[in-house]
Amino acid sequence: MAPDWNALLVDQLDWHWRHQLRARLDGLTDEEFFWEPVPDCWSVRPRGTGTTPVRAGSGDFTIDWSYPEPVPAPVTTIAWRTGHILVGVLGARSASHFGGPPVDYMTYAYPGTAAEALDRLDAAYARWVTGVRGLGEEGLAGRAATPRARTATSRWRRSYCTSAAR
């Protein structure tokens, strides 16, 4: 009997979400969310107070950003990392792979509190995992939407399938 790759993938994804990431964020305060452990951190900031050449976002808060990225890369706050996951990871991929709402760094309205960010993170994860769950075996074997995504997906699939079969 062949393994159910979709079930294995979703189970692994959800286990890591619940035990390695989401549970660690429960009770996150605004102070922790915006904490800058060193000077010149990249963060999410009230509009007009950013410190980088580009301050992306459409709402009351913007995310620090620069292109090209400085070397060495700046330290980022939990707020910045959450914004990156909301837009560039879960948001963009849900949009491109599962027909979710379009999202980009320049027009996203970044959350201004830890609670709002976690609510959005939960919703973005739910969209993503629902999409992955709905792929089934045929969908997992299919092609991703863009050439870059196809290459990354192909490498990931080989890597995942090899490790999951052990």
Side-chain angles (χ1 to χ4, degrees), residues 84-153:
H84 174 65
I85 292 169
L86 287 169
V87 176
V89 179
L90 295 174
R93 285 161 179 83
S94 289
S96 67
H97 298 315
F98 306 122
V103 63
D104 66 78
Y105 289 104
M106 298 307 286
T107 62
Y108 188 74
Y110 292 90
T113 67
E116 182 182 3
L118 294 179
D119 286 346
R120 290 189 196 185
L121 191 62
D122 289 339
Y125 172 75
R127 276 191 301 277
W128 173 252
V129 79
T130 297
V132 171
R133 194 174 274 126
L135 286 173
E137 182 122 5
E138 188 174 309
L140 282 177
R143 295 171 51 119
T146 65
R148 181 177 173 195
R150 281 194 296 275
T151 301
T153 301

Side-chain angles (χ1 to χ4, degrees), residues 58-92:
S58 64
D60 293 336
F61 287 81
T62 60
I63 194 167
D64 293 334
W65 185 68
S66 179
Y67 185 82
E69 181 179 288
V71 176
V75 173
T76 57
T77 64
I78 295 171
W80 190 95
R81 290 173 183 243
T82 303
H84 174 65
I85 292 169
L86 287 169
V87 176
V89 179
L90 295 174

Side-chain angles (χ1 to χ4, degrees), residues 10-24:
V10 171
D11 287 350
Q12 185 179 63
L13 175 66
D14 200 54
W15 189 91
H16 284 282
W17 171 260
R18 288 182 289 110
H19 298 285
Q20 298 296 318
L21 177 64
R22 190 57 183 87
R24 294 176 183 194

